[in-house]
Amino acid sequence: MDKPIYVTQPSLAPLEEFNEYLQQIWTSGIMTHNGPLLQRLEKEVSEYEGVTDTICVANGTCAMQLAIRAMDLQGEIITTPFTFIATANSITWERCKPVFVDVDPETWNIDSETIEAAITDRTVAVLPVHVFSAPCDVVRIQEIVDQHGLKVIYDAAHAMCVKVNGKSIMSYGDVSCTSFHATKLFNTCEGGACFAGNLELAARIRRMRFFGFDEHKEIVDDGMNAKMTEVSAALGLANLKHLDEVRKHRREKYELYQSLLADRDYIAFQKFDPEEYNYSYMPVLFDTEERLFQTLGEMAAENIYPRRYFYPSLHDISLFEGTELPVATSVAARIACLPLYNDLPDSTIETICQMIKVGA
Ligand code: T4K
């Protein structure tokens, strides 16, 4: 390839549409502090997702930190090791301890049956991740947390647009947190959001993202600066109009990969319900790490760069070492996310799939 092909590229609305919103900022001079565009984005995301409230924040990591803080959680939080480091960062930065449990070999999400065995008298919450947008077993997880009096925070960083049992995935758990980072299906450059069904909890998160101010700018709570700017909100408003189309195109490209790779019996795809997935990533599981290495090497020689999301499994890094979680270790060593984004030509997907054949 003349130009490098990376794992992803941002999906961006036409520049003129972004400019229309920017013009409003230039006219009003309001750039941040929960301005009109942010309020409009929160309303539009709520309508899009079918939820009552959206609390936009500066990024997905601080969304999880705010959720932990707003519920005053202190202690052990059970989570998955097959995720981006930010999941664990949000726990440790709130001075809690991540306790990793193993993942399901087919969905690669937290194995809900391993959660109970990890509960101690120090456990305060469970923080599962809908990895690559495949929903966790939200019903079983809720049963477990209810039985043990724990909270549940979902890391839904990958999962915009996903519905489970006809309801937005963001409506599950005490708080669901998502990311609107540039590399996500829906992006505001940097950004994220919290979704909380409990009105008091939602109000507390709102205060906490804005220094602990109430609506009269009285300092009434502990807080930080986790606000989303008007420029990010403007980008979000422009991008949101194209989200259905973006998801549809990604799905077509995902399915093209799937059909071209269908005869490779050494490759497995993530298990998910096709209607409950947003097709933002193209993860494939190789039968061996050697085959994965060989394929990555051959692709790099052609200027194509899939990514090892998420390697290594977090429980295997020196910060956290201590537990043996064989499924997570093995899956993390054998997965690569192939390039997937809206402008990726089908002919490049065909080339990539041929290379996987050559590597076999
Ligand atoms: N929880 C989970 C499960 C997550 O995956 C993440 C973030 C979070 C929580 C935290 O959310 P945030 O606090 O980030 O909102 C990227 C993203 O930085 C990160 O948001 C994301 N997950 C993670 C999975 O991917 P890297 O280290 O892969 O980024 P980078 O810069 O290598 O970008 C990957 C490719 O994307 C590049 O090869 C080229 C392309 N790219 C990237 C950027 C930044 C562009 O085309 N344009 C760009 O502006 O982390």
Side-chain angles (χ1 to χ4, degrees):
M1 299 285 160
D2 297 338
K3 264 177 60 185
I5 303 290
Y6 294 117
V7 65
T8 193
Q9 266 184 18
S11 289
L12 293 169
L15 189 55
E16 317 81 79
E17 295 180 22
F18 181 37
N19 273 337
E20 281 175 30
Y21 291 104
L22 289 180
Q23 185 59 56
Q24 297 178 33
I25 300 175
W26 261 242
T27 304
S28 70
I30 305 292
M31 301 206 67
T32 185
H33 285 195
N34 308 335
L37 295 181
L38 178 96
Q39 290 176 32
R40 189 163 155 197
L41 180 67
E42 291 187 334
K43 190 165 164 283
E44 291 196 11
V45 171
S46 297
E47 282 165 8
Y48 185 89
E49 284 288 316
V51 295
T52 47
D53 194 18
T54 301
I55 308 164
C56 288
V57 295
N59 57 65
T61 309
C62 74
M64 290 187 283
Q65 287 183 252
L66 285 165
I68 295 170
R69 255 316 151 109
M71 291 191 283
D72 295 314
L73 300 178
Q74 277 298 299
E76 293 178 358
I77 298 185
I78 296 171
T79 191
T80 169
F82 184 62
T83 182
F84 191 56
I85 183 63
T87 312
N89 288 152
S90 67
I91 297 173
T92 55
W93 273 64
E94 291 308 319
R95 297 285 178 257
C96 291
K97 181 175 179 228
V99 173
F100 297 110
V101 296
D102 219 340
V103 300
D104 180 278
E106 293 183 314
T107 65
W108 314 329
N109 277 328
I110 198 164
D111 177 350
S112 36
E113 295 317 316
T114 64
I115 294 175
E116 266 184 313
I119 296 174
T120 69
D121 54 6
R122 294 176 299 282
T123 309
V124 289
V126 181
L127 201 163
V129 179
H130 306 296
V131 79
F132 307 132
S133 88
C136 295
D137 187 352
V138 287
V139 174
R140 179 73 188 117
I141 291 172
Q142 195 60 49
E143 274 171 13
I144 296 170
V145 297
D146 286 347
Q147 213 172 346
H148 294 271
L150 304 174
K151 302 291 184 192
V152 58
I153 298 169
Y154 281 106
D155 179 341
H158 301 170
M160 267 294 275
C161 313
V162 174
K163 286 198 166 26
V164 180
N165 306 320
K167 266 175 45 179
S168 165
I169 203 164
M170 302 302 169
S171 60
Y172 290 88
D174 292 282
V175 186
S176 275
C177 303
T178 195
S179 166
F180 300 152
H181 182 262
T183 55
K184 299 297 189 291
L185 196 70
F186 168 68
N187 87 82
T188 60
C189 181
E190 289 277 358
C194 293
F195 302 82
N198 178 303
L199 295 182
E200 253 175 62
L201 181 57
R204 185 157 202 226
I205 295 171
R206 270 184 195 286
R207 291 195 294 272
M208 286 182 141
R209 78 169 171 186
F210 193 17
F211 307 114
F213 289 143
D214 69 5
E215 60 279 20
H216 310 295
K217 277 267 178 92
E218 305 263 338
I219 304 158
V220 293
D221 211 335
D222 188 17
M224 69 191 242
N225 183 357
K227 287 171 272 115
M228 178 183 279
T229 69
E230 288 288 281
V231 176
S232 280
L235 183 59
L237 284 164
N239 285 342
L240 194 60
K241 299 212 166 18
H242 299 272
L243 187 51
D244 285 341
E245 187 192 329
V246 165
R247 179 174 184 248
K248 182 171 165 279
H249 287 152
R250 296 276 182 113
R251 182 172 181 169
E252 285 165 8
K253 290 184 192 298
Y254 186 105
E255 288 174 350
L256 176 61
Y257 267 119
Q258 233 178 357
S259 65
L260 292 171
L261 294 173
D263 60 349
R264 321 293 149 85
D265 54 6
Y266 44 85
I267 277 180
F269 300 100
Q270 188 174 21
K271 186 178 166 197
F272 56 81
D273 174 333
E275 300 310 320
E276 296 182 347
Y277 199 67
N278 69 15
Y279 303 91
S280 45
Y281 294 90
M282 184 63 236
V284 289
L285 175 70
F286 285 76
D287 58 347
T288 63
E289 194 176 14
E290 292 68 41
R291 198 186 314 261
L292 169 79
F293 274 142
Q294 186 186 346
T295 310
L296 293 184
E298 286 172 18
M299 288 192 188
E302 295 298 327
N303 224 2
I304 298 169
Y305 303 97
R307 279 291 280 272
R308 295 187 80 189
Y309 291 141
F310 294 100
Y311 178 81
S313 177
L314 295 183
H315 76 285
D316 286 327
I317 68 174
S318 56
L319 265 179
F320 301 117
E321 263 174 334
T323 341
E324 287 210 0
L325 302 173
V327 181
T329 298
S330 162
V331 160
R334 294 182 288 122
I335 289 180
C337 284
L338 303 177
L340 181 65
Y341 48 89
N342 283 54
D343 294 334
L344 183 67
D346 288 355
S347 57
T348 307
I349 295 180
E350 282 158 18
T351 307
I352 292 170
C353 292
Q354 278 159 10
M355 296 188 68
I356 291 179
K357 189 166 235 156
V358 172

